[in-house]
Amino acid sequence: MKTILVTGGTGFIGSHTCVELLKAGYQVVVMDNLSNSKADVVKKIETITGRTVPFYRADLLDVPSMDRIFREQKIDAVIHFAGLKAVGESVEKPLLYYQNNVSGTINLCEVMHKHDCKTIVFSSSATVYGMHNPVPMTEDMPTSATNPYGYTKVMLEQILTDLHTADPAWSVMLLRYFNPIGAHESGLIGENPNGIPNNLLPYIAQVALGKLPCLGVFGDDYDTVDGTGVRDYIHVVDLALGHIAACRYAFSHKGVEIVNLGTGSGTSVLQMIKAYEKASGRAIPFAIRPRRAGDVATCYADTQKAKDLLGWTAQRDIDQMCKDSWRFTVQNA
């Protein structure tokens, strides 16, 4: 039975991936510094799966703590989620983002190399497609970014690719996520950021609860079905299952593969609001605000490579995503 270290394992995507890894028969070790998550998530993962999960509160910038994990656990592969991810904050604090995300990942790779662990599944992002690629996004398109957070993903894709070039024993999966939403069907784990949410769905959820007065919709004059931005929303459990498929592939293939994880279709902000109103039975007040710099009108994935290479496709629709999100929100209000 292979053991997988999940960095950022108490976060939104990380926690759901831990559940699916355990269900698939892997051993899981969780590492997180809890900067944007809560320690009780580990107990919730254990409750859902009936399995015990070793947890290390550690930071990517703390090399001795990272080394301790690899000394105490026989790690076969790493799924690397840990990183700062707020676009606006990255513009305000670029050095923080470059140090944490880039330097932290370099530290991780050096510790992995020291302990002869050379399989990594990396949490990248559709943000690397930048502003000028047409939809649907395909993995061979040129990459760019509009903010420091995005540039950390572009840089790390290059760094991990160069790592394999220098040492072909490495197996590197670069997974470009689109827009993860939803929650586990148990309602025990979901997206529960510390502070005011940065992402659309948790913000909508807080408005539905009455904790926030109104949703800001940034731009209603895009060339889309209703003028609002269109994104490829994917259920977090489908996304987690994509990581299971990526692990299986990585264990049997050396090299670097870039794979989109999305549904292959887009939903506008107003369509999402309507779907959430249906799921929650509550009105979602919103106000149209100016476009944000760096936002594109439409972004959705070409998912053919994920299907061909990994045998993976997303299964859950927008209604299911909103229903699961609302269940989690109510149970954790």
Side-chain angles (χ1 to χ4, degrees):
M1 186 183 295
K2 292 190 182 295
T3 299
I4 298 177
L5 173 65
V6 182
T7 74
T10 59
F12 177 43
I13 306 170
S15 60
H16 289 81
T17 301
C18 288
V19 167
E20 299 306 323
L21 285 167
L22 290 162
K23 285 170 62 177
Y26 293 100
Q27 299 275 21
V28 169
V29 177
V30 171
M31 185 210 98
D32 205 301
N33 68 1
L34 304 180
S35 65
N36 194 36
S37 59
K38 298 170 179 66
D40 66 355
V41 170
V42 176
K43 292 297 181 190
K44 293 177 179 180
I45 293 168
E46 292 177 335
T47 298
I48 292 168
T49 62
R51 299 271 301 278
T52 300
V53 179
F55 171 67
Y56 292 82
R57 184 168 186 176
D59 193 286
L60 293 169
L61 299 177
D62 181 354
V63 174
S65 291
M66 304 268 292
D67 190 64
R68 176 187 162 215
I69 297 170
F70 281 82
R71 279 188 285 107
E72 294 182 356
Q73 308 285 340
K74 177 64 181 80
I75 306 297
D76 297 295
V78 176
I79 300 182
H80 180 34
F81 295 107
L84 299 172
K85 63 173 187 175
V87 169
E89 183 184 55
S90 80
V91 175
E92 296 166 6
K93 302 175 181 178
L95 295 182
L96 174 65
Y97 272 67
Y98 289 122
Q99 182 184 47
N100 186 85
N101 293 7
V102 179
S103 298
T105 302
I106 291 171
N107 289 346
L108 171 64
C109 290
E110 288 177 337
V111 174
M112 289 175 68
H113 176 78
K114 176 181 175 181
H115 293 273
D116 197 32
C117 175
K118 296 184 178 180
T119 300
I120 185 167
V121 178
F122 175 62
S123 168
S124 192
S125 168
T127 194
V128 303
Y129 289 115
M131 293 280 291
H132 304 297
N133 285 313
V135 291
M137 307 297 185
T138 57
E139 290 87 349
D140 57 356
M141 287 178 171
T143 59
S144 63
T146 59
N147 55 73
Y149 162 73
Y151 274 115
T152 68
K153 296 299 187 184
V154 173
M155 288 179 187
L156 287 169
E157 285 196 3
Q158 187 64 54
I159 289 167
L160 291 168
T161 299
D162 293 343
L163 183 60
H164 170 264
T165 301
D167 181 357
W170 280 82
S171 180
V172 176
M173 302 296 291
L174 306 174
L175 304 184
R176 293 177 179 169
Y177 312 159
F178 281 69
N179 294 73
I181 62 173
H184 191 265
E185 61 183 4
S186 67
L188 287 174
I189 57 174
E191 190 166 13
N192 191 20
N194 297 335
I196 295 175
N198 286 298
N199 296 335
L200 177 64
L201 250 286
Y203 207 107
I204 288 179
Q206 294 300 302
V207 174
L209 279 178
K211 290 186 175 181
L212 294 172
C214 177
L215 173 72
V217 176
F218 297 101
D220 66 346
D221 57 349
Y222 288 107
D223 183 17
T224 62
V225 63
D226 55 25
T228 62
V230 169
R231 298 293 181 268
D232 187 339
Y233 296 97
I234 176 173
H235 197 294
V236 66
V237 174
D238 281 331
L239 186 63
L241 290 167
H243 289 75
I244 312 307
C247 275
R248 289 197 187 104
Y249 184 88
F251 279 130
S252 58
H253 297 81
K254 304 297 182 188
V256 180
E257 291 289 352
I258 301 168
V259 184
N260 288 335
L261 295 182
T263 64
S265 62
T267 301
S268 75
V269 176
L270 293 185
Q271 288 171 336
M272 181 59 74
I273 291 171
K274 289 187 177 71
Y276 211 90
E277 288 179 333
K278 177 183 173 184
S280 66
R282 301 190 180 188
I284 310 291
F286 65 89
I288 303 299
R289 295 182 181 159
R291 294 185 184 189
R292 293 181 299 194
D295 276 355
V296 296
T298 303
C299 180
Y300 59 89
D302 183 307
T303 59
Q304 192 61 47
K305 184 173 181 180
K307 183 176 181 179
D308 293 344
L309 192 76
L310 306 180
W312 173 90
T313 54
Q315 302 295 321
R316 295 158 179 82
D317 63 14
I318 286 291
D319 287 339
Q320 186 69 49
M321 298 178 208
C322 291
K323 179 181 174 184
D324 289 341
S325 169
W326 180 241
R327 182 191 301 111
F328 171 79
T329 299
V330 171
Q331 289 183 205
N332 295 273

